[in-house]
Amino acid sequence: MAKNSSLTAAKSAKEDEFYTQLSDIEKELKHYRSHFEGKVVYLNCDDPRVSNFFHYFSYNFEKLGLKKLIATCYKSQDIDLFSEHNTEQAVYLEYEGDKDGDLVPGPNEIGIKPLKGDGDFRSSESIELLKQADIVVTNPPFSLFREHVAQLIDHNKKFLLIGSQNAITYKDVFRLFKEDKLWQGYNSGDMAFQVPDHYPPRETRFWVDESGTKWRSLGNACWFTNLDTPKRHEDLILYKSYSPAEFPTYDNYDAIEVGRTEHIPADYDGVMGVPITFLSRYNPDQFEIVGSDHEVKDGLLPWLVREGWTGKVDRAYLNGKRMYARILIRRKGAPA
């Protein structure tokens, strides 16, 4: 991940500098091979000295048929992996494939060029590099996830990113799901990350391995992308039939409660409230995302509030109980 003044400040406060394991990258990237041929890949939040993203793409450069690999590297006083000299100079790296026939990205094959700034993905220099890129792949700081995604959308870039599933509930991120400009990749759930040495221990989801490396894990990590995949066009197999007893209508929304994605009734034409984990199996050919509870709260979906209801609309309520965050969906082709 990138190291820069603003990011470092954010990370110090948020402790969201997590290094992705090579195995997790390989597990997800194997589904996107056809997208990379002839493309320029940009790692704009990655220090190639420690980034497994840089390792993956440089060692698989020929297999993927890449045109170019670019990575920004924040200035550092640490020993540089390639030059073995201390430096305070921010640099960016370009790799255009193997030149000596050993299929190993060596120091003489990786172009190291200075940056005037610090390598922040929001800097003008990094944005110029972004303009060259076709696909951005990285694990951005979680605290800057929204800003990072917004930049990629603004520049009309393809991307594959790691983030927390909680990001789905961000209004601007959810809007991208609804507009079919963003979706989840193949893998989600538990993921372990190496963290910097200065990170303090935690009571849970923290450990130090036998080499002294610190680790943390997230139970709700996932991949976000706008690269199309066969997975997002796979129909959910629906086997349940609607009944008012099993799928009650909310107190305040004109929609029914479906507690588990796999229990979505096959024969219900109205609006259904489902957990946010539904998006990991969302097929836009099968379902329409109507909105979310926070959109009802914001007054964007007034027609979903039950007639005569005068209480809270911040969340769906069922028998007086406030529900967890819900996404409101409808079967595609169902009568409006």
Side-chain angles (χ1 to χ4, degrees):
M1 298 170 70
K3 295 181 178 180
N4 55 60
S5 54
S6 50
L7 291 188
T8 300
K11 290 168 184 171
S12 297
K14 305 287 185 181
E15 292 183 1
D16 58 359
E17 186 175 5
F18 286 24
Y19 300 113
T20 311
Q21 294 187 88
L22 183 60
S23 57
D24 286 324
I25 295 170
E26 293 173 332
K27 188 177 172 184
E28 182 71 19
L29 268 291
K30 68 181 181 182
H31 299 289
Y32 303 85
R33 295 178 68 94
S34 62
H35 290 283
F36 288 101
E37 185 170 1
K39 298 295 193 297
V40 176
V41 172
Y42 183 29
L43 316 176
N44 67 347
C45 289
D46 285 79
D47 183 338
R49 295 165 301 184
V50 293
S51 168
N52 282 319
F53 285 101
F54 187 82
H55 179 98
Y56 175 85
F57 283 108
S58 61
Y59 277 81
N60 288 284
F61 192 96
E62 282 74 25
K63 288 180 183 176
L64 294 171
L66 296 181
K67 181 179 180 181
K68 184 191 289 188
L69 175 62
I70 306 172
T72 47
C73 178
Y74 178 64
K75 63 181 180 181
S76 173
Q77 294 182 357
D78 296 334
I79 293 175
D80 184 279
L81 178 65
F82 304 104
S83 66
E84 296 187 353
H85 291 292
N86 291 352
T87 177
E88 292 186 345
Q89 177 69 63
V91 297
Y92 71 96
L93 281 67
E94 288 186 329
Y95 180 60
E96 297 186 63
D98 181 60
K99 299 292 191 301
D100 58 14
D102 65 357
L103 297 180
V104 175
N108 296 329
E109 296 168 320
I110 299 173
I112 303 175
K113 302 181 180 181
L115 289 169
K116 295 177 182 176
D118 59 9
D120 187 320
F121 73 83
R122 298 162 292 185
S123 69
S124 58
E125 290 175 302
S126 294
I127 291 173
E128 286 305 310
L129 293 171
L130 175 64
K131 291 177 181 177
Q132 298 181 35
D134 298 299
I135 305 174
V136 172
V137 185
T138 193
N139 176 1
F142 293 165
S143 61
L144 296 172
F145 185 82
R146 281 179 283 195
E147 195 168 350
H148 191 265
V149 170
Q151 183 192 68
L152 299 178
I153 294 293
D154 287 346
H155 287 271
N156 196 29
K157 296 300 176 184
K158 296 295 184 183
F159 56 83
L160 185 57
L161 311 173
I162 291 179
S164 163
Q165 281 182 305
N166 291 339
I168 294 168
T169 61
Y170 301 158
K171 293 179 182 179
D172 36 7
V173 173
F174 179 75
R175 176 178 52 80
L176 296 174
F177 271 97
K178 190 175 175 180
E179 294 174 354
D180 212 21
K181 295 179 178 177
L182 172 69
W183 45 88
Q184 282 190 234
Y186 279 81
N187 296 289
S188 61
D190 261 309
M191 206 176 291
F193 302 87
Q194 185 181 337
V195 296
D197 291 340
H198 67 270
Y199 275 27
R202 302 182 69 178
E203 290 187 2
T204 60
R205 292 189 172 276
F206 171 86
W207 66 98
V208 181
D209 67 20
E210 57 188 15
S211 68
T213 301
K214 291 182 175 179
W215 294 84
R216 288 188 185 177
S217 66
L218 296 176
N220 61 351
C222 71
W223 292 84
F224 295 89
T225 187
N226 59 356
L227 296 169
D228 203 8
T229 64
K231 171 181 174 286
R232 70 185 292 260
H233 299 288
E234 293 174 356
D235 275 355
L236 266 172
I237 304 302
L238 307 178
Y239 63 92
K240 288 270 188 177
S241 297
Y242 168 71
S243 74
E246 186 170 4
F247 303 102
T249 300
Y250 295 122
D251 302 343
N252 53 347
Y253 294 175
D254 189 12
I256 63 169
E257 161 69 4
V258 180
R260 299 179 64 174
T261 298
E262 59 269 32
H263 290 171
I264 293 172
D267 56 352
Y268 189 75
D269 292 335
V271 178
M272 300 173 273
V274 294
I276 62 172
T277 50
F278 161 81
L279 290 177
S280 66
R281 304 171 70 180
Y282 169 50
N283 172 359
D285 307 322
Q286 187 178 21
F287 294 102
E288 169 196 359
I289 297 176
V290 175
S292 66
D293 43 20
H294 64 70
E295 288 184 331
V296 180
K297 178 187 175 186
D298 290 346
L300 300 177
L301 300 168
W303 57 274
L304 263 177
V305 179
R306 292 187 71 175
E307 187 175 354
W309 177 260
T310 58
K312 294 180 178 179
V313 294
D314 58 317
R315 286 279 179 86
Y317 285 77
L318 188 61
N319 298 323
K321 179 184 176 185
R322 187 175 188 260
M323 308 300 291
Y324 288 110
R326 287 290 186 260
I327 293 171
L328 302 162
I329 64 165
R330 183 164 46 203
R331 284 192 305 111
K332 210 92 172 200

